Amino acid sequence: ILNVEQSPQSLHVQEGDSTNFTCSFPSSNFYALHWYRWETAKSPEALFVMTLNGDEKKKGRISATLNTKEGYSYLYIKGSQPEDSATYLCASIDNYGQNFVFGPGTRLSVLP
Amino acid sequence: KAGVTQTPRYLIKTRGQQVTLSCSPISGHRSVSWYQQTPGQGLQFLFEYFSETQRNKGNFPGRFSGRQFSNSRSEMNVSTLELGDSALYLCASSLLMRGTDTQYFGPGTRLTVL
């Protein structure tokens, strides 16, 4: 069974701080990695889908990197804003899409 | 383009009953996936349908079933409800199968089993 871990579990930062979280996943049979942002009372929102080792993706102030050989992905937020407060989830997929497992998430609170 | 819709949004049932949840994907999307979110287990994959066929299935008992219609709308059924089935049920649609394609989530159905 695929085991996906995320750290830290929660994070409190001040507005303007930059921050990053980690998603760890098994590197064998890797197929793809998804990042989502889930704000309270809303639906999860897709941020990135990453497949290739060394992939780097960017969306505004948020970026992500992928290392499939060692089984980790970093999500970076530059200059955090209160509206970035949310739970950030990663999901790893292996076996050509058969196993799709979410991590427990990192809960980010940005204080004004 | 309209987003993913789910009905009903809230549902209260008693143990032993059955329930059917509905999901309408974004127009043109052919894949619909279902997820269960509970405080203890987090977000877990139930199953994925693509072109009316179940393509992938998570580790849930046979009481959980689903189907997809020719217009890509999907239903999920849970029979013989148990207290532990109380959860938020999310569906997500994607243009192609969800492995490498962006998924768009609906607002969810909150099921409470008494």
Side-chain angles (χ1 to χ4, degrees):
Chain A
I1 296 177
L2 207 55
N3 186 35
V4 180
E5 298 175 350
Q6 290 187 249
S7 63
Q9 185 176 4
S10 65
L11 197 55
H12 297 262
V13 301
Q14 289 294 134
E15 182 176 354
D17 287 349
S18 293
T19 187
N20 64 86
F21 333 126
T22 304
C23 172
S24 301
F25 53 88
S27 54
S28 60
N29 298 319
F30 173 82
Y31 187 60
L33 187 89
H34 292 224
W35 278 102
Y36 296 89
R37 173 171 59 200
W38 196 354
E39 295 178 65
T40 303
K42 293 187 177 180
S43 309
E45 174 197 355
L47 291 173
F48 306 112
V49 179
M50 308 175 81
T51 56
L52 299 175
N53 185 47
D55 252 355
E56 291 187 27
K57 299 228 172 172
K58 189 174 179 183
K59 185 177 182 178
R61 294 178 292 98
I62 304 177
S63 60
T65 61
L66 179 67
N67 184 323
T68 62
K69 294 187 188 304
E70 296 181 45
Y72 65 84
S73 176
Y74 294 138
L75 188 80
Y76 301 91
I77 302 179
K78 185 177 177 182
S80 302
Q81 299 296 309
E83 57 265 30
D84 295 329
S85 296
T87 296
Y88 291 81
L89 293 165
C90 67
S92 181
I93 306 168
D94 70 357
N95 286 334
Y96 302 101
Q98 287 185 12
N99 296 319
F100 192 105
V101 177
F102 280 89
T106 292
R107 187 175 183 87
L108 174 67
S109 296
V110 182
L111 307 173
Chain B
K1 225 180 214 184
V4 178
T5 58
Q6 291 186 246
T7 57
R9 294 293 310 280
Y10 302 92
L11 206 48
I12 299 176
K13 292 284 188 178
T14 56
R15 277 185 303 174
Q17 287 187 308
Q18 75 164 15
V19 68
T20 299
L21 312 181
S22 180
C23 173
S24 292
I26 291 172
S27 177
H29 284 193
R30 296 168 64 190
S31 170
V32 174
S33 297
W34 288 90
Y35 300 90
Q36 180 196 66
Q37 202 259 348
T38 58
Q41 298 295 320
L43 201 53
Q44 292 184 287
F45 167 66
L46 280 154
F47 26 67
E48 177 185 18
Y49 285 87
F50 184 82
S51 294
E52 301 177 65
T53 303
Q54 187 181 93
R55 301 297 178 135
N56 293 296
K57 188 176 191 301
N59 190 26
F60 278 81
R63 299 186 297 107
F64 291 82
S65 63
R67 57 178 176 168
Q68 187 181 33
F69 302 95
S70 58
N71 61 358
S72 293
R73 189 177 71 85
S74 177
E75 287 182 348
M76 188 191 92
N77 185 74
V78 188
S79 62
T80 321
L81 284 165
E82 300 176 0
L83 295 178
D85 297 332
S86 294
L88 177 68
Y89 290 88
L90 292 164
C91 80
S93 76
S94 55
L95 193 61
L96 303 173
M97 288 185 67
R98 62 178 163 73
T100 56
D101 201 13
T102 299
Q103 290 192 98
Y104 297 87
F105 281 83
T109 294
R110 173 75 62 183
L111 171 65
T112 302
V113 182
L114 302 175

